[in-house]
Amino acid sequence: MIKVEGVSKKYQLGHIVSSKNLTNPFKRGLQRLTGRSMQEEVAEEFWALRNVSFDIQQGEVVGIIGKNGAGKSTLLKILSRITDPSTGRIELNGRVSSLLEVGTGFNPELTGRENIYLNGAILGMSRKEIQSKFDEIVAFAEVEKFLDTPVKRYSSGMYVRLAFAVAAHLEPEILIVDEVLAVGDATFQKKCMGKMQEVGKQGRTVLFVSHNMGTISRLCNRAILLNQGGVVADGPVHHVIKSYLQEGTGTGAWARWDDSATAPGDDVARLLSVRVCSEDGITSERVDIHKPVGIEVEYEVLKSGHVLQPNCHFFNSEGVYAFISIDNKSEHCDLPKELGRYKSTAWIPGNLLAEGTMLVGVALTTFEPQCVHFYEQDVVAFEVVDNASGDSARGDYHGDLPGVVRPQLVWETSVSQGKRP
């Protein structure tokens, strides 16, 4: 359905340079003659995409992921024919419907009703075809009362609801959606995810950009990871998400800030270091599934009198929020802390976590009144390994065991002699 071959996109960036760096000889001479400081704009090339190639088959639901500035939105704009590539070519075999930002494809002066017909006409649909989908679109978008109101008076949430309903229901062969759905409320987002899954099952192709890895893993069967304008991974969604999350953390088991003045935090407390450690205090990136693992958080209190509670947030390689742990049981947890350096360690028991990569965010919080003094997401990461030689929940089974946790539960079995009455 989609073929991308060697696509690159170049932009010209303008920079204002000071009198010390003037490149224009006329301006340099004029500056010397008049003695007045001058500035000029210098163009710089920026490649948003570099030699991107991939094929997408009919019925695939593909997630496009990557950090901000990786080139995701530029790629979708090229695929939506909003902008042309600088080099390379694309082939699209079917009608394309795009939702890249609030109000994409809408005329703000027209009503919601008129924009539905306008978008259908742009897709090449007849009036009869649009009418057959009209009631379904309006019901999905929940904008019946405002159908004959110009969309320029819509809230951003109403805009998105109607735009998505139009894009998804007018039966395009290819549906392209950026993270604009984040504008909607949680209930509508859930409805949109269900609709995109339905579109994929109908044999149509979906491209979806999101920073929510849980959503990507549930919705997509394949993912493409972009970094600095190039494709760095393309394959099964869970493998690509794992690469993305590890890239974001540097897969480090120890993060530290030597200068407390620039460390995360505020005037009350600053984060100094976070590390993953074993029972014997050794920093470790690989953890035996059978053994406890500690998350050690060191911080400095700069202003006394605050009740400070460290907390750790755990995510698996699919971006699923596994659990949170708050220090509310230790000896000092509910006492105001004096000035000084503190070291708090959260211990995770053995045979709790599943195999795979775990990413940890750490925070320091005052709960009354609530104030987050620092929160560093994905600050450390570690790999949980089950070597299948010990007593774990895996037992003698050597296949894949999905899940966020893998506790070793106590099982009881009873047997009754004889036949049933």
Side-chain angles (χ1 to χ4, degrees):
M1 295 295 289
I2 301 174
K3 190 176 187 65
V4 177
E5 294 182 338
V7 166
S8 299
K9 180 62 179 179
K10 179 179 69 174
Y11 291 101
Q12 294 285 345
L13 302 181
H15 295 285
I16 300 298
V17 299
S18 65
S19 58
K20 295 180 180 179
N21 302 307
L22 291 179
T23 59
N24 187 311
F26 174 75
K27 284 195 172 184
R28 285 202 304 268
L30 191 59
Q31 179 175 274
R32 284 195 297 268
L33 182 64
T34 63
R36 295 177 58 187
S37 177
M38 290 191 174
Q39 294 179 330
E40 68 177 357
E41 185 174 351
V42 177
E44 178 191 351
E45 289 185 353
F46 170 71
W47 290 89
L49 293 175
R50 287 183 180 272
N51 197 30
V52 172
S53 299
F54 57 82
D55 294 340
I56 296 177
Q57 307 303 318
Q58 181 177 353
E60 281 194 290
V61 181
V62 181
I64 309 293
I65 61 177
K67 298 178 182 178
N68 289 332
K72 305 183 298 296
S73 295
T74 301
L75 176 61
L76 294 196
K77 286 177 180 178
I78 290 174
L79 292 174
S80 302
R81 298 192 176 102
I82 293 173
T83 186
D84 293 325
S86 301
T87 62
R89 62 190 295 270
I90 62 168
E91 285 184 19
L92 300 170
N93 296 308
R95 295 184 300 193
V96 179
S97 187
S98 302
L99 184 58
L100 304 186
E101 57 187 38
V102 176
T104 299
F106 277 8
N107 184 323
E109 301 297 330
L110 300 182
T111 65
R113 183 188 305 274
E114 291 165 338
N115 270 293
I116 293 174
Y117 282 96
L118 174 63
N119 273 260
I122 291 171
L123 284 172
M125 299 178 69
S126 68
R127 184 178 179 83
K128 187 175 181 180
E129 286 176 306
I130 300 169
Q131 284 178 329
S132 69
K133 293 289 181 180
F134 187 86
D135 291 342
E136 195 175 346
I137 291 170
V138 174
F140 189 95
E142 302 172 5
V143 294
E144 295 93 335
K145 293 181 180 179
F146 308 97
L147 199 55
D148 294 307
T149 300
V151 297
K152 67 182 179 182
R153 299 198 178 101
Y154 284 17
S155 68
S156 58
M158 291 166 60
Y159 233 125
V160 167
R161 291 204 302 272
L162 183 58
F164 180 84
V166 169
H169 286 81
L170 292 182
E171 299 189 348
E173 282 80 20
I174 301 169
L175 177 62
I176 299 176
V177 182
D178 207 339
E179 200 155 27
V180 65
L181 295 181
V183 175
D185 57 45
T187 302
F188 184 72
Q189 288 181 33
K190 184 177 180 180
K191 189 158 69 168
C192 290
M193 296 306 133
K195 184 60 181 178
M196 284 194 282
Q197 287 177 324
E198 180 187 322
V199 167
K201 290 176 182 177
Q202 292 171 350
R204 290 181 275 163
T205 302
V206 180
L207 265 68
F208 180 54
V209 165
S210 177
H211 287 99
N212 187 322
M213 294 302 106
T215 300
I216 289 285
S217 64
R218 288 191 298 273
L219 181 64
C220 305
N221 47 35
R222 172 185 168 194
I224 296 173
L225 173 58
L226 297 180
N227 186 25
Q228 296 182 345
V231 175
V232 295
D234 180 357
V237 63
H238 299 310
H239 294 168
V240 177
I241 288 176
K242 183 176 180 180
S243 298
Y244 169 65
L245 293 174
Q246 289 179 339
E247 172 194 278
T249 63
T251 63
W254 191 5
R256 59 186 296 175
W257 291 263
D258 295 323
D259 183 2
S260 63
T262 58
D266 56 15
D267 60 345
V268 173
R270 296 273 179 175
L271 179 60
L272 300 179
S273 71
V274 184
R275 74 183 183 106
V276 183
C277 58
S278 59
E279 284 182 291
D280 52 8
I282 297 174
T283 303
S284 179
E285 292 184 353
R286 289 172 63 85
V287 175
D288 190 318
I289 200 169
H290 313 91
K291 297 179 180 180
V293 56
I295 307 299
E296 178 190 275
V297 183
E298 186 177 5
Y299 55 97
E300 183 175 10
V301 175
L302 306 173
K303 185 182 292 185
S304 61
H306 295 265
V307 177
L308 304 171
Q309 291 183 294
N311 44 96
C312 295
H313 306 251
F314 295 84
F315 299 81
N316 70 1
S317 60
E318 298 173 12
V320 176
Y321 206 142
F323 61 96
I324 179 176
S325 180
I326 304 172
D327 178 14
N328 53 18
K329 298 292 184 183
S330 71
E331 180 183 353
H332 303 283
C333 69
D334 55 357
L335 300 175
K337 288 185 168 57
E338 300 300 321
L339 303 182
R341 292 193 171 199
Y342 293 79
K343 191 178 290 185
S344 302
T345 306
W347 287 101
I348 307 164
N351 286 316
L352 174 65
L353 301 176
E355 286 176 279
T357 302
M358 294 299 299
L359 299 105
V360 187
V362 299
L364 189 68
T365 308
T366 298
F367 290 101
E368 292 292 340
Q370 189 166 13
C371 176
V372 178
H373 302 287
F374 60 73
Y375 175 55
E376 286 295 298
Q377 187 172 358
D378 299 344
V379 65
V380 291
F382 60 94
E383 192 80 16
V384 181
V385 180
D386 187 352
N387 56 27
S389 62
D391 182 23
S392 78
R394 172 178 290 281
D396 295 327
Y397 178 70
H398 294 279
D400 182 42
L401 287 175
V404 176
V405 294
R406 191 186 298 171
Q408 193 171 19
L409 305 180
V410 175
W411 283 68
E412 293 181 354
T413 302
S414 61
V415 58
S416 299
Q417 300 295 329
K419 298 180 178 179
R420 289 184 178 180

